[in-house]
Amino acid sequence: MANRHTIILMQTSQNRATRTFMDYESISQAMDGICALYERKLKELNPAIREITYDISDLYNFIDGLADMSALVYDQSIQAYLPNDRQWIKQKTLQHLKKLASQR
């Protein structure tokens, strides 16, 4: 996942005031950011548990539970951002986590 500037757009509930974005220097960093967001939520919900584990289906449920999530990825060849949906994010997150696991 080359260094392609990535903007994650998300809305956590039906309330439009929960719309926000996070931007990253690469797709890989964006996937790290999504995992970190989920891990912060888990810690918030389970403050007494020191070590929390989860699997990909838990992360997918978190992503699917958001009112909206999409990614804009910069494409140098057309000098524009290309939109990607929630399914693309889930696919890229899985690829990223597999890559991290293989490096251990």
Side-chain angles (χ1 to χ4, degrees):
M1 291 186 235
N3 285 347
R4 296 171 57 197
H5 188 255
T6 303
I7 301 169
I8 301 295
L9 304 171
M10 60 182 276
Q11 183 173 336
T12 57
S13 74
Q14 294 304 319
N15 182 346
R16 292 172 65 113
T18 65
R19 288 180 175 174
T20 191
F21 73 95
M22 303 172 291
D23 72 306
Y24 301 93
E25 291 303 312
S26 68
I27 294 170
S28 179
Q29 287 177 2
M31 299 308 110
D32 275 340
I34 291 169
C35 291
L37 182 71
Y38 178 56
E39 290 165 7
R40 281 194 301 276
K41 184 69 171 175
L42 285 176
K43 288 177 186 174
E44 193 179 292
L45 295 172
N46 304 284
I49 302 174
R50 288 175 36 92
E51 190 171 316
I52 298 173
T53 60
Y54 61 92
D55 65 25
I56 195 69
S57 64
D58 298 322
L59 181 59
Y60 284 178
N61 287 335
F62 169 73
I63 292 169
D64 288 336
L66 298 171
D68 194 19
M69 180 177 258
S70 58
L72 299 173
V73 180
Y74 191 72
D75 185 333
Q76 182 66 40
S77 67
I78 60 171
Q79 296 188 352
Y81 285 88
L82 297 175
N84 295 282
D85 64 6
R86 192 183 309 245
Q87 284 305 117
W88 181 89
I89 292 171
K90 291 185 336 187
Q91 177 189 20
K92 291 296 181 187
T93 303
L94 177 60
Q95 289 173 2
H96 178 66
L97 291 173
K98 281 183 175 180
K99 184 178 177 184
L100 289 177
S102 71
Q103 293 173 353
R104 290 186 176 188

